[in-house]
């Protein structure tokens, strides 16, 4: 239930909307042994088809249309030392050559730690990286394909900052806030489009886009992963603590233009 799992699922659904593209979402299949390590809330699937059914049902509860896209599984395992799912074998073998047109890579470094198959650029006509913060590929292009849930374009509210997520570092985050004498409220993780978040949140770059879509001020680090957002007048970047304070005090949002929306 992380952003790197949910974002590609929603992206596949919206890219398939309208039916003028053939989209395939490629996700991992873990054995029961690794599912216990990598999946939340004791979620267990006896087969890829069972996992696909769960995935589509989860999606249908969150969007207002029935998307037409394929799901393809590659074998993987959960690497405890890296706290990450990594592929077993060559992912590219499961993708037919006649369908290997464009590949959108979500955190490609996970696929290449032990990659020993064809080069991505040999298999696909075009490789799209989602930001400059991802691993570089020769002749690949960088394009923000995230978009935001339409609900965020419809909501405007006041600003209040809380932290949501119940990951391994929750206790350390609370301790860090206490040391800095900040009011830090750490809550369990919730769906990004939950009505609870109609004021504002910040998690990763996806939420940065959501906040901008809602007409919010975004204050983010001057880092390559945030380059896309610098074109928006409501995006303020900082290089150090003093810049951060200055940007925070000067937080009066401007309306989005049609082009920015």
């Amino acid at each position: 239930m992380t952003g790197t799992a949910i974002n590609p699922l929603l992206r596949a659904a919206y890219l398939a909307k309208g039916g003028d593209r053939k989209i395939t979402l490629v996700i991992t299949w873990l054995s029961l042994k690794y599912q216990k390590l990598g999946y939340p809330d004791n979620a267990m699937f006896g087969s890829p088809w069972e996992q696909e059914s769960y995935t589509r049902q989860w999606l249908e509860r969150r969007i207002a249309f029935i998307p037409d896209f394929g799901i393809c599984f590659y074998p993987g395992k959960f690497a405890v030392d890296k706290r990450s799912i990594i592929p077993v074998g060559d992912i590219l073998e499961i993708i037919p050559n006649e369908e290997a047109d464009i590949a959108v890579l979500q955190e490609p470094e996970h696929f290449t730690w032990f990659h020993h198959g064809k080069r991505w650029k040999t298999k696909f006509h075009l490789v799209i990286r989602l930001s400059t913060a991802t691993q570089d590929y020769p002749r690949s292009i960088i394009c923000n394909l995230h978009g935001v849930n339409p609900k965020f374009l419809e909501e405007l509210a006041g600003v209040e900052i809380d932290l949501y997520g119940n990951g391994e570092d929750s206790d350390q985050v609370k301790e860090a806030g206490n040391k800095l004498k900040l009011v830090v409220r750490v809550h369990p993780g919730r769906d990004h489009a939950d009505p609870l978040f109609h004021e504002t949140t910040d998690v990763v770059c996806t939420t940065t886009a959501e906040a901008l879509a809602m007409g919010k001020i975004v204050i983010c680090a001057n880092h390559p992963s945030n380059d896309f957002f610098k074109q928006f007048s409501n995006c303020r970047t900082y290089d150090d603590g003093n810049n951060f304070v200055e940007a925070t005090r000067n937080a009066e949002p401007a309306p989005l233009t049609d082009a920015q929306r």
Side-chain angles (χ1 to χ4, degrees):
M1 301 300 292
T2 62
T4 49
I6 293 171
N7 289 343
L9 173 61
L10 292 170
R11 185 186 305 123
Y14 278 89
L15 285 175
K17 188 177 182 181
D20 56 342
R21 305 182 185 94
K22 182 175 183 180
I23 304 296
T24 300
L25 175 66
V26 182
I27 57 179
T28 190
W29 166 251
L30 298 178
S31 67
L32 293 178
K33 169 186 173 181
Y34 293 119
Q35 288 183 34
K36 293 177 181 178
L37 297 173
Y39 290 170
D41 303 325
N42 297 316
M44 302 289 285
F45 305 105
S47 68
W49 299 275
E50 186 179 334
Q51 182 172 340
E52 177 176 346
S53 176
Y54 174 91
T55 301
R56 293 189 184 277
Q57 289 175 14
W58 185 95
L59 181 64
E60 288 172 5
R61 292 195 297 269
R62 286 162 175 80
I63 61 177
F65 60 96
I66 303 298
D68 182 15
F69 67 93
I71 293 181
C72 185
F73 288 88
Y74 67 87
K77 68 177 183 178
F78 189 86
V80 177
D81 58 331
K82 296 177 176 59
R83 301 298 300 169
S84 175
I85 294 172
I86 59 175
V88 176
D90 184 5
I91 302 176
L92 301 183
E93 290 183 352
I94 67 172
I95 303 170
N97 291 331
E98 61 272 17
E99 296 182 10
D101 185 13
I102 299 175
V104 180
L105 300 183
Q106 180 86 23
E107 295 195 353
E109 60 272 17
H110 292 246
F111 300 132
T112 55
W113 276 329
F114 303 104
H115 181 66
H116 54 79
K118 288 183 180 179
R119 293 170 57 89
W120 289 91
K121 286 294 294 183
T122 302
K123 179 78 173 184
F124 290 92
H125 297 121
L126 182 64
V127 172
I128 295 177
R129 296 159 53 209
L130 299 179
S131 84
T132 55
T134 58
Q135 182 173 334
D136 189 20
Y137 281 94
R139 304 187 309 282
S140 62
I141 68 168
I142 297 166
C143 183
N144 187 297
L145 292 180
H146 279 307
V148 295
N149 188 315
K151 292 180 181 179
F152 290 99
L153 289 168
E154 301 165 1
E155 296 295 335
L156 289 174
V159 174
E160 183 177 349
I161 299 174
D162 287 307
L163 299 178
Y164 289 83
N166 47 324
E168 299 174 350
D169 299 326
S170 297
D171 291 338
Q172 291 90 321
V173 171
K174 291 179 183 178
E175 292 174 7
N178 292 335
K179 290 178 181 178
L180 295 172
K181 297 181 180 180
L182 298 175
V183 178
V184 178
R185 296 183 291 266
V186 181
H187 309 276
R190 302 286 288 269
D191 189 296
H192 284 200
D194 192 296
L196 182 66
F197 292 154
H198 285 181
E199 294 186 354
T200 189
T201 65
D202 198 11
V203 188
V204 292
C205 292
T206 305
T207 316
T208 301
E210 292 168 350
L212 288 170
M214 295 168 71
K216 306 294 181 185
I217 288 288
V218 165
I219 301 170
C220 57
N222 187 14
H223 183 270
S225 63
N226 293 319
D227 283 348
F228 171 78
F229 303 109
K230 293 179 182 178
Q231 65 182 296
F232 296 92
S233 59
N234 288 339
C235 178
R236 318 287 167 79
T237 60
Y238 64 89
D239 294 293
D240 54 36
N242 291 331
N243 291 151
F244 175 79
V245 172
E246 181 181 353
T248 302
R249 287 176 173 171
N250 182 25
E252 186 66 30
L256 291 180
T257 66
D258 290 341
Q260 287 173 337
R261 289 174 64 85

